[in-house]
Amino acid sequence: GVFPFLQKMREKCFKSTNGTSPVWCCDVSVKCRCKWRWDSSGLCSYCRDKVQNRTCLVSSTFTYFISSFIILGIVGMLYAWLTFSPFERQILSSTGLSCQEDNEGSWAIGVYYGNDPFSLRPIEQENIWSDRGSAWPVANPVLTCASVSDASHPSNFVADPFLYIQGSKLYIFFETKNAITKQGDIGVAESLDGGASWKHLGIALDEEWHLSYPYVFNYDGQIYMMPEGSEKGDIRLYRALEFPLKWTLERVLINKPLVDATLVEYKGLFWLFASDFERFGAKKNGELEIWYAHTPFGPWRQHKSNPVHNGDKSSGARNGGRPFIHEGYLYRIGQDCGETYGRRIRLFRVEVLTKEKFREVELPVRIEESKKGRNVWNGLRQHQLDVQKLPTGQWIAVMDGDKAPSGDRFTRYLLGCISFLVLVLLVILLGVILGVVQCVFPLSKCFSSGKRSDNFLSWVHPHVTSRLRRTLSRLNRSSSLIRDRAHFSTCVGVSLILLCIIFSVFSVCFGVKLLFGGNGSEEPYPVEGQYSQFTLLTMTYEARLWNLKMYIKHYSRCASVKEIVVVWNKGEPPNPLFDFDSAVPVVIRREEKNSLNNRFKVDPQIKTRAVFELDDDIMVTCNDLERAFKAWREHPDRIVGFYPRLVDGNPLKYRNERYARNKKRYNMVLTGAAVLDGKDAFLRYWGNEADQGRALVDKLFNCEDILLNFILANSTSPRSVEYIHPTWAVDTSKLSSAAISRDTHVHYSKRTDCLLRFSELYGGFPLKQWDFGTRSDGWDY
């Protein structure tokens, strides 16, 4: 049974070659010369009998598809080579199983301080310094998946933090998702220095079901924990036997699968706020219930108005932390799950709370959300806050955050697969336009009336088979229509070919990025478990304002950049509040004298020990900045930068990086892209022994970086410079007529003169030479 219209197409497309062998050129025949029927040797059916005589080449369709995907594969690899960092991020944990990419996110925990619970600031704004890991200052997050040191419980993320204050000791109880079992356990960390540094003590509670939201409180001289275990179908209360690591089940409080349950004592009763998403009619993440009792042990009774909330999931109904009392008012913290799960926290003041009535009003949350997006630990989500008052009267809080939305991994993989599917369709469409692909679907291959086909599709209803045949036939006929109307010799055809090529390149790049590029974040690197920040400093003037705007927009999004200081040497300075698109504060420091020495001036307004000197005409990735900063924190007495030089010879001569590469060693790093100790190095630079050197810098308007290398090389440190290889670097000075290094010959001549003069001033040449490729992580190759 061949349908009449298919039979007509067969008759229309049948040709005879010299009255001998028939050749099927049509869309629906499997005997088409260069179509879809292949033997084991990979040749079309028409060519199979003639391959021995070498009169027929491999199918043009087959060649087209193979060539297309090879070319697009090369495009994808080139895109990955240009955009992906060649340096593999190290997982700094006790076990290699920790910190695996998880579809629920990569939650971490930060610490905040304030004079009241409504003016909380992150720890990095409190200017708390720690010598551990050269964290000057300490920055959030203070706990990550890498902080969990228990080898039997490797962690994918940490979330749901609750504080417990015991004298001068601080404890954080939190959910840690086990990377092996994929369920939540309760971990605990301790701080002995007010929250600046934390030590993971171990797993406090591990049950056979998922645990989270470890609400810890004190009652009648005992310490209790009420974690969420809704998977078990009830709420359980545990009592500490040996705080903080040993707990025993005290009792089951409520036989309902309540979620994120918290309790608070208020006006003579204990009130329990929780959500029951299994209640009939309950809206997930939009429902809230209240229970009350005379003691935490119950019996617990439901509020008369339950559920007190049952609406939109962005309303903040679901609990987002511990309720607290301030100046007689009760405050409840909820989480907004509108855009994604745990998008942000919301704050409510309870106006009425009785056994029959409940009313609350929302207040603004004065915790500023970061503008750095995926590059910062809490750039996209923060969904739990626990704020408490310290014995000193100051308030402290812990909050979790994430840099990616819920389900980000699945979404990226899905979109990546769709991109490659679109790519295949574009390749087929291009082949149809070029006339290389004659048919989209080989109907006679799939729907032959032979017995084999009948047996193969015997389970398919005949009506379905016929409809499918008609649909595929229409698609094949449409390919002929496209080929006729959009021939590659016409303007329409050429336009479609160009569009197909452009969109194919875009699809392969987009798919490669989604499937192999990770979550797109350029994260900071911890040192000894601590994070820190640096100040980015550049020097410029009005002729380079366009450079500066691009510079600030890019680098202000880097995770460890605390603020950007612009040394303005000449002209009318811009307004830092209105002229820049910046995610961090921008400070314009106007100088009276146009001098290159100004970049190393001691500035008491700089709040970090690390200063990253970066010329406004150099563009590198945020990940490159983070790697250089990590290397500096490991050795803060060094200049760590991206541009190495080798100065040698007799007499001394200044040369480019290629010379150092050929010699396989270096002894100087240019400070136009380098991080250094802004306190020690700047004081040395402005010391009396450097007066003549600074005068020469002013005279030649050059060589300030060489002078600093000479000064630090004469210090007591055994090594003063270290090179870090950037993923890529773009020098936009070549596009500007205002760059002092635009004339390379004159520039190098001045710097050679500086080398000779500085050698005389410092009684010789102190710069020691170092080999490339000595770091174990390969960052200095």
Side-chain angles (χ1 to χ4, degrees), residues 33-34 43-52 56-57 59:
R33 172 166 181 160
C34 294
L43 302 178
C44 64
S45 58
Y46 181 72
C47 298
R48 182 177 53 198
D49 298 330
K50 299 191 175 184
V51 69
Q52 294 180 348
C56 181
L57 298 177
S59 163

Side-chain angles (χ1 to χ4, degrees), residues 211-431:
L211 295 175
S212 62
Y213 207 82
Y215 182 82
V216 181
F217 64 98
N218 189 294
Y219 177 72
D220 199 20
Q222 298 289 328
I223 303 175
Y224 296 93
M225 181 196 302
M226 186 177 65
E228 182 205 316
S230 58
E231 183 180 312
K232 187 68 174 175
D234 54 31
I235 289 186
R236 300 187 169 208
L237 186 67
Y238 296 82
R239 177 171 52 86
L241 295 178
E242 296 177 11
F243 184 84
L245 290 176
K246 192 172 182 179
W247 300 79
T248 185
L249 177 63
E250 182 72 13
R251 66 182 64 191
V252 175
L253 298 180
I254 302 174
N255 283 305
K256 280 184 174 292
L258 299 183
V259 174
D260 293 351
T262 54
L263 60 84
V264 62
E265 186 178 8
Y266 183 65
K267 292 186 177 180
L269 290 173
F270 283 87
W271 303 88
L272 187 145
F273 297 82
S275 300
D276 182 5
F277 300 141
E278 294 188 9
R279 173 192 284 263
F280 179 77
K283 297 182 179 179
K284 188 173 183 179
N285 297 326
E287 195 256 16
L288 178 67
E289 299 180 3
I290 300 177
W291 301 64
Y292 62 90
H294 291 282
T295 73
F297 308 120
W300 290 93
R301 296 179 174 85
Q302 290 205 48
H303 193 276
K304 294 272 175 123
S305 301
N306 272 349
V308 294
H309 287 308
N310 191 28
D312 190 81
K313 57 185 178 181
S314 65
S315 64
R318 181 169 179 168
N319 283 327
R322 184 192 306 266
F324 63 91
I325 297 174
H326 181 63
E327 296 181 350
Y329 286 97
L330 174 63
Y331 296 86
R332 186 184 71 85
I333 301 170
Q335 57 175 298
D336 177 352
C337 298
E339 302 169 38
T340 182
Y341 169 70
R343 176 62 183 89
R344 61 178 60 86
I345 62 169
R346 294 187 179 276
L347 179 64
F348 302 90
R349 185 176 64 204
V350 177
E351 299 287 328
V352 177
L353 179 57
T354 66
K355 298 178 181 179
E356 296 83 18
K357 296 181 180 180
F358 173 74
R359 187 176 75 251
E360 62 183 5
V361 295
E362 185 172 2
L363 302 177
V365 178
R366 299 194 186 105
I367 299 177
E368 184 178 356
E369 294 185 11
S370 174
K371 299 176 183 178
K372 297 185 179 184
R374 290 178 181 255
N375 286 351
V376 71
W377 69 280
N378 62 344
L380 291 186
R381 293 193 289 172
Q382 40 195 11
H383 84 325
Q384 178 158 320
L385 174 71
D386 184 12
V387 55
Q388 296 188 43
K389 194 172 185 178
L390 292 168
T392 60
Q394 188 183 30
W395 288 76
I396 185 173
V398 289
M399 183 167 63
D400 59 7
D402 193 6
K403 55 183 174 290
S406 179
D408 178 66
R409 182 185 182 189
F410 174 79
T411 302
R412 284 188 285 109
Y413 285 178
L414 177 62
L415 292 177
C417 293
I418 292 175
S419 297
F420 282 111
L421 177 60
V422 171
L423 175 65
V424 172
L425 296 177
L426 287 170
V427 170
I428 293 176
L429 176 60
L430 181 60

Side-chain angles (χ1 to χ4, degrees), residues 567-615:
V567 180
W568 195 263
N569 270 348
K570 186 173 68 175
E572 189 65 25
N575 188 322
L577 297 178
F578 303 106
D579 291 341
F580 303 114
D581 178 8
S582 179
V584 298
V586 177
V587 177
I588 305 293
R589 195 177 78 197
R590 191 171 185 178
E591 300 289 351
E592 296 180 358
K593 180 182 178 181
N594 184 13
S595 170
L596 296 180
N597 291 315
N598 291 335
R599 74 184 315 159
F600 300 132
K601 183 175 289 186
V602 178
D603 187 349
Q605 299 301 316
I606 293 179
K607 304 177 182 64
T608 65
R609 186 76 172 264
V611 175
F612 211 123
E613 298 272 355
L614 192 62
D615 290 347

